[in-house]
Amino acid sequence: MPQRRVITGRSQEPRQRFAEELRAMRAGSGASLRQLGERLGWDWSLFGKMEKGETLGSPEVVQALDTHYGTPGLLLALWELAAGDHTQFRERYRRYMALESEAVSLWHFAVSVLPGLLQTPGYAREVLAAGGLRGKELDQQVEARMGRRQLLEGEDAPPFRTILSEAVLRTPLRDAGEWRKQLEHLIGMMDEETITVQVLPQSVGVHGLVGTDVWFLRLADGKPVAYTENAYWGDLVEESARVERLQRAYDVVRDMAMSPAESREFILRILEEVPCDPST
């Protein structure tokens, strides 16, 4: 195991400290990024991004690294500290929100949750509550999310395309009535000329965005930017090469997805499976 290092003032910032430790451990093991990826079964570029501080990776990846390096719980503890440092996340998210309001077109891929722009209040509340929000803060976040939906309203609404993994539609709310309202709302939004919804069936198997919820925005100057997120954090991507790589993966997913008409029929079938409220 690599020799433990003193935490200096330079490495006290949680994300930086986590990245430094990852770099030091790999250097001590003598493995290249590619070799590390082959041994653990993840794309080696993910470990490169983690070592640069561009992403934190998932808890599963970090646990695998702890096992690999023989440091049970150490890296996961550092990951939890870094994930809890929301300053950088909030700054990037605020910038993303500003860019979203200026976008001339938006497109999106959902791994497990409907995009906020298409959520009902009941759906948003249950999803946000599952993330730990309570009380007044929960109410404020639901209200803010509903306010974002105005982006898709009016004559100047930008074109919006979302591709929903089938898992999104196979993950109902606990409240069947609210789940029905959400599906009905989704179908209603599909009638809007500026909104395109497609479903990616589970039968397509593994693909380039299998674990990545991603937004793309095209700005007035024609420049695209991307925003990737999961349950813990988000990452604003503005570097052209990285955006293009994500976009190529998105194009492949779009080609594998059902057509909008097929997707509508699929969602209607899901809706038919939702039990009706006997009191109505």
Side-chain angles (χ1 to χ4, degrees):
M1 183 177 75
Q3 183 178 358
R4 303 298 301 149
R5 295 174 298 112
V6 176
I7 301 178
T8 64
R10 186 178 58 183
S11 64
Q12 287 178 348
E13 195 275 324
R15 288 182 68 101
Q16 182 181 345
R17 174 75 178 94
F18 179 61
E20 287 178 355
E21 196 66 31
L22 292 176
R23 291 195 299 270
M25 286 192 170
R26 185 175 59 81
S29 73
S32 67
L33 286 170
R34 192 176 297 276
Q35 289 171 332
L36 184 62
E38 291 173 351
R39 291 170 186 172
L40 297 186
W42 271 280
D43 187 335
W44 64 269
S45 64
L46 170 62
F47 297 113
K49 293 175 184 177
M50 292 170 69
E51 291 184 8
K52 293 177 183 177
E54 295 177 358
T55 185
L56 291 175
S58 69
E60 292 77 15
V61 172
V62 179
Q63 286 177 327
L65 287 167
D66 259 334
T67 299
H68 177 69
Y69 290 127
T71 55
L74 172 64
L75 291 176
L76 189 59
L78 291 175
W79 177 90
E80 289 174 346
L81 288 172
D85 178 41
H86 299 300
T87 302
Q88 186 179 41
F89 165 74
R90 287 174 178 168
E91 289 177 357
R92 290 183 176 184
Y93 187 68
R94 281 196 293 268
R95 174 160 170 73
Y96 166 77
M97 292 297 292
L99 293 173
E100 182 184 76
S101 66
E102 302 170 1
V104 297
S105 65
L106 306 91
W107 57 111
H108 166 260
F109 175 71
V111 174
S112 58
V113 177
L114 284 165
L117 293 176
L118 298 180
Q119 292 180 8
T120 61
Y123 187 94
R125 180 171 295 277
E126 188 163 319
V127 169
L128 291 168
L133 295 183
R134 298 289 185 273
K136 185 177 180 180
E137 185 179 9
L138 175 58
D139 293 338
Q140 291 173 339
Q141 289 300 316
V142 171
E143 183 178 356
R145 185 161 293 188
M146 294 305 99
R148 285 183 64 198
R149 299 196 308 182
Q150 296 178 1
L151 183 69
L152 301 182
E153 300 173 356
E155 296 180 358
D156 297 329
F160 172 56
R161 175 189 299 271
T162 183
I163 302 173
L164 308 175
S165 169
E166 184 178 338
V168 174
L169 300 166
R170 298 295 186 185
T171 308
L173 298 178
R174 294 186 180 90
D175 186 322
E178 291 294 344
W179 180 230
R180 172 172 286 277
K181 289 179 184 178
Q182 175 61 76
L183 292 175
E184 290 173 343
H185 175 72
L186 178 59
I187 292 169
M189 294 298 285
M190 294 173 74
D191 292 332
E192 300 293 330
E193 292 184 2
T194 57
I195 297 175
T196 302
V197 177
Q198 293 179 260
V199 176
L200 182 72
Q202 291 177 335
S203 59
V204 303
V206 177
H207 53 82
L209 296 178
V210 69
T212 306
D213 196 298
V214 60
W215 287 85
F216 296 93
L217 311 177
R218 187 168 300 281
L219 306 179
D221 61 3
K223 177 185 176 182
V225 299
Y227 186 80
T228 62
E229 60 183 353
N230 59 31
Y232 300 97
W233 58 81
D235 186 21
L236 180 63
V237 183
E238 298 183 81
E239 181 186 344
S240 297
R242 293 179 64 198
V243 174
E244 184 177 349
R245 181 177 178 182
L246 285 167
Q247 205 164 337
R248 287 199 301 268
Y250 184 90
D251 289 342
V252 172
V253 167
R254 183 183 58 194
D255 290 343
M256 295 189 295
M258 301 178 191
S259 69
E262 292 170 333
S263 299
R264 182 186 183 88
E265 291 301 315
F266 183 86
I267 297 171
L268 284 170
R269 290 197 297 272
I270 296 289
L271 179 58
E272 291 175 356
E273 298 172 4
V274 180
C276 294
D277 185 347
S279 64
T280 60

